[in-house]
Amino acid sequence: MSLRSMLGRIISPVCTRWLSDTSSTPIPREVLESMLKERQTFKKGQICDQITVYARAGAGGHGFPRRNGMGGDGGDVWMEALPVFQNLNHLHHHHSRRFLAERGDNSSINLIRGRKGEDCIIEVPIGTIATDIQTNQVICDVDEYNTKYLIQRGTPGGSLTNNYVGRRAPDLWVRLVLKTIADVGLVGYPNAGKSSLLSLISRASPTVGSYPFTTLKPTVGYLETTDRTKSVGVADIPGLIEGASENRGLGHVFLRHIERTSVLLFVIDVGGFQLNMKSAHRTAFETFGYLCRELELYMGGMTKRPVVVAINKMDTDHADEHFKKFVEQYQTLMARLVKVHSIVPVSCYTGQGILDLQNILYELKYGEIPKAYTETIV
C-alpha cells in the first residue's frame, strides 16, 4: 500500500478533503509523512502545537497586448499573531488547511491596469515558527503582535517583460510549530507539583492530579499586579524524564517550549523522585543535577540563564532535613557549575514560600517587588 493510500485511511476526513483539493499537483512525500505523524501524535482534547498547512500566493492576471495593458499582481500570503489564539487548534479544525491568496485581475480594454488580488492572512498565536517542509528553511518567526510576516509574495501580472502572461505561484507546504513565549519556564520531573505551583502563583487553572504526567501539553499562566500594569508569564512544561535530550518521552516536543524563556524555575520534590518501581530513586540534589544535564545536552548554555529552585512538598515528613542536605550538597558540588539565584522551600498544600517565590519572579523581570498581586484563581 502506498503512503498516500495509507494516509487516506488514517487521517481525518478534513485532511482527506485537503488531499483531494490539491490532487492536481503531486504532494511531496515529506509532506505526507509530516501529516501522518501529526495525526498519530495528536489526540482529541489536546492542544495542537504543530501542524502542516498548504499556502499559495495569488497568480498574476494576464496582460492586454493590444493596449500594452498590465495584469494585476497576485495577492500575498501573510502570517499575523493575534492575542486571542493560544495554540494552533483553530488551524487543526480548519475546513481544509489551505490558504490561497486571490488572483490578480486580467487587463482589458476597459481596465488597462488589472487590480491586485486580495492578500491572505494566516492568524496564529505569538511564538509560531513557519518552516518550508521541502527545503527545511525557516520562513518567519512570529514574535510580535500587530506585525505581518510575509510567507509568499504574489506573482507579477502579465506585461511586456513576460509576454503578458500571468504566472501561477508555486505550491508551498508550511510546517507551523508553536514555541511558547513566557518569562519563566517550569522544569521538573513528573509529579513534582509544577501544575499545583502554577495554579498558586498565577491565574492559570491547569490539570492537577496525584499521578505522573498529569500535564500533557504546555500551559501558560500569568502573575499580575492588581492594576494589571505588570505581569510575569510562567509556562508549565510537561514532566521530563531521563533521556529527554535524546527525545525520550517526547522530550524535544516539551523542551522546545522553554527555549525562549528568560528564567528557569526548577520544581523539585524534597523527597526525591522515582518514576516507577524499576527505576532508581533520585534524591532532590540528584534530581536537580539530572535535570540540568538534560537541559545542557538539549541546548548548550541553557542553565546560564537565571535559575530559581523551588523545593516543593515541604509539608511532608523529614522535609527540613532533606532541604538542608540539598543546600549543602549544592553549595559544595554544583555552585560553580550552575549559578542559582534563589533556593525557595515551598508547599503547595500549606502555601509556604508562595509569596516569596512571587516576589523573586517579579524582581528578576522588573528589578523590583510590586506592592500587591491579583487574587489567585484556582
Side-chain angles (χ1 to χ4, degrees):
M1 182 183 295
S2 66
L3 179 63
R4 188 188 186 103
S5 301
M6 181 176 63
L7 188 63
R9 291 172 177 264
I10 296 177
I11 61 177
S12 63
V14 172
C15 294
T16 304
R17 291 197 300 272
W18 189 91
L19 287 173
S20 61
D21 291 341
T22 57
S23 58
S24 58
T25 56
I27 300 178
R29 182 182 182 88
E30 54 267 26
V31 176
L32 298 177
E33 292 175 345
S34 177
M35 295 178 64
L36 177 59
K37 183 178 180 180
E38 292 169 8
R39 177 61 181 170
Q40 291 174 337
T41 56
F42 182 81
K43 300 184 183 302
K44 184 178 180 180
Q46 291 186 355
I47 295 175
C48 179
D49 58 5
Q50 179 173 322
I51 194 170
T52 299
V53 299
Y54 174 81
R56 190 176 74 231
H62 297 309
F64 191 57
R66 290 173 53 189
R67 298 292 180 87
N68 195 29
M70 299 176 60
D73 295 338
D76 306 324
V77 179
W78 300 84
M79 190 169 291
E80 183 179 10
L82 297 181
V84 68
F85 298 117
Q86 302 297 327
N87 50 60
L88 300 175
N89 282 31
H90 65 290
L91 296 180
H92 178 79
H93 299 295
H94 190 274
H95 67 283
S96 65
R97 301 189 199 175
R98 302 172 74 236
F99 298 90
L100 309 177
E102 188 181 28
R103 174 190 175 93
D105 288 346
N106 295 332
S107 175
S108 64
I109 192 171
N110 297 321
L111 187 66
I112 299 301
R113 183 69 168 96
R115 181 184 62 87
K116 181 181 183 299
E118 291 188 7
D119 297 339
C120 175
I121 300 178
I122 306 175
E123 298 173 341
V124 296
I126 192 169
T128 302
I129 297 178
T131 305
D132 186 337
I133 292 182
Q134 294 180 271
T135 63
N136 204 31
Q137 292 184 346
V138 176
I139 301 174
C140 66
D141 186 350
V142 184
D143 56 0
E144 292 182 5
Y145 289 118
N146 303 320
T147 302
K148 292 182 180 180
Y149 298 82
L150 182 64
I151 298 297
Q152 189 180 54
R153 182 75 69 182
T155 57
S159 62
L160 180 63
T161 58
N162 56 13
N163 293 326
Y164 300 98
V165 177
R167 303 296 180 183
R168 181 179 184 272
D171 298 309
L172 182 63
W173 285 270
V174 183
R175 179 186 296 112
L176 303 181
V177 177
L178 175 61
K179 292 188 177 182
T180 306
I181 294 182
D183 301 303
V184 181
L186 295 180
V187 182
Y189 280 134
N191 208 30
K194 299 186 298 299
S195 298
S196 299
L197 184 62
L198 180 65
S199 68
L200 291 177
I201 65 175
S202 73
R203 298 186 297 114
S205 300
T207 303
V208 178
S210 59
Y211 50 90
F213 302 106
T214 307
T215 303
L216 299 178
K217 288 289 181 176
T219 303
V220 180
Y222 292 90
L223 171 62
E224 296 179 336
T225 54
T226 51
D227 57 3
R228 298 202 172 187
T229 58
K230 296 181 179 180
S231 66
V232 178
V234 183
D236 179 15
I237 311 301
L240 304 176
I241 62 173
E242 293 182 28
S245 58
E246 301 173 357
N247 206 26
R248 288 187 58 194
L250 297 179
H252 288 179
V253 176
F254 299 155
L255 286 169
R256 71 172 179 233
H257 289 279
I258 58 176
E259 288 183 18
R260 302 174 183 233
T261 57
S262 56
V263 177
L264 299 179
L265 175 55
F266 288 81
V267 183
I268 298 175
D269 189 334
V270 69
F273 171 73
Q274 184 177 16
L275 181 61
N276 51 51
M277 297 300 295
K278 297 181 180 180
S279 303
H281 180 271
R282 309 293 187 189
T283 65
F285 176 74
E286 291 173 338
T287 299
F288 178 62
Y290 276 100
L291 287 172
C292 291
R293 175 178 178 271
E294 294 297 338
L295 294 181
E296 284 295 324
L297 289 175
Y298 175 74
M299 178 183 291
M302 186 174 287
T303 56
K304 300 299 182 182
R305 306 173 188 180
V307 173
V308 178
V309 179
I311 305 298
N312 194 19
K313 304 184 182 180
M314 289 298 296
D315 55 285
T316 57
D317 296 335
H318 309 292
D320 292 334
E321 298 177 8
H322 294 318
F323 178 76
K324 292 179 181 178
K325 186 175 181 180
F326 175 87
V327 174
E328 292 174 358
Q329 290 179 317
Y330 165 74
Q331 293 176 345
T332 305
L333 303 175
M334 283 193 66
R336 294 183 179 180
L337 300 176
V338 180
K339 301 296 183 181
V340 175
H341 179 276
S342 302
I343 302 176
V344 186
V346 299
S347 171
C348 296
Y349 182 74
T350 64
Q352 174 188 347
I354 299 300
L355 182 59
D356 294 335
L357 188 58
Q358 290 175 321
N359 290 337
I360 290 171
L361 297 181
Y362 264 112
E363 188 177 8
L364 284 172
K365 181 175 181 179
Y366 296 103
E368 60 180 3
I369 300 175
K371 295 181 179 180
Y373 305 97
T374 54
E375 294 182 0
T376 301
I377 301 177
V378 181

